[in-house]
Amino acid sequence: MPDLSGNAAKRDELEALYREVVLEHYRNPRHRSALAHPSADARVTNPICGDQVHVEVELADGRIADVSARARGCSIAVASGSVMTELVLDPRLRAFGRVAELPSRQRCATLAWEALTEALGAP
């Protein structure tokens, strides 16, 4: 029976996006080199599959000046680290940096992300 609901088209669109973004960032991860003078770092491991990510950040004037993510594991772990570094360094995201100084406004900055999570059915 043919899929009349459009689910096949959505699945094809997601598969194309996966190939375009996830596989591209997996094959060519951005900001992967160790930082010369990191201000802070963290290593995390997924206990289920063993994937590992090491993130270094260089802070300047209380802001992220540079970031590095080195991941070992599946394509999703590597790509996610790479995409995260690009988002963190994006000047548009930096515009919200001052919100950290305004506790009463922090929730305002996360409302859209909360709504997106809810819309996608995440707990």
Side-chain angles (χ1 to χ4, degrees):
M1 176 178 271
D3 183 354
L4 302 177
S5 66
N7 287 338
K10 289 178 186 175
R11 198 170 31 254
D12 290 346
E13 184 179 325
L14 284 175
E15 182 62 30
L17 186 61
Y18 176 86
R19 282 192 303 275
E20 179 183 335
V21 177
V22 175
L23 294 181
E24 167 57 25
H25 278 267
Y26 172 67
R27 292 177 180 135
N28 302 295
R30 280 60 154 187
H31 307 281
R32 191 177 174 121
S33 300
L35 299 182
H37 303 287
S39 305
D41 75 310
R43 294 174 194 268
V44 294
T45 301
N46 181 339
I48 295 171
C49 65
D51 288 355
Q52 300 175 353
V53 179
H54 180 207
V55 172
E56 295 177 327
V57 293
E58 182 180 328
L59 303 173
D61 299 322
R63 295 183 179 187
I64 297 174
D66 204 358
V67 63
S68 167
R70 295 185 304 283
R72 289 186 15 207
C74 71
S75 59
I76 295 171
V78 173
S80 177
S82 177
V83 169
M84 181 267 309
T85 63
E86 289 194 326
L87 290 172
V88 167
L89 295 173
D90 187 318
R92 292 173 294 175
L93 185 61
R94 289 182 181 186
F96 290 92
R98 190 168 181 289
V99 175
E101 302 167 11
L102 307 167
S104 65
R105 303 309 302 252
Q106 290 173 3
R107 180 92 197 279
C108 300
T110 63
L111 281 175
W113 298 99
E114 183 180 331
L116 176 62
T117 301
E118 187 175 315
L120 295 173

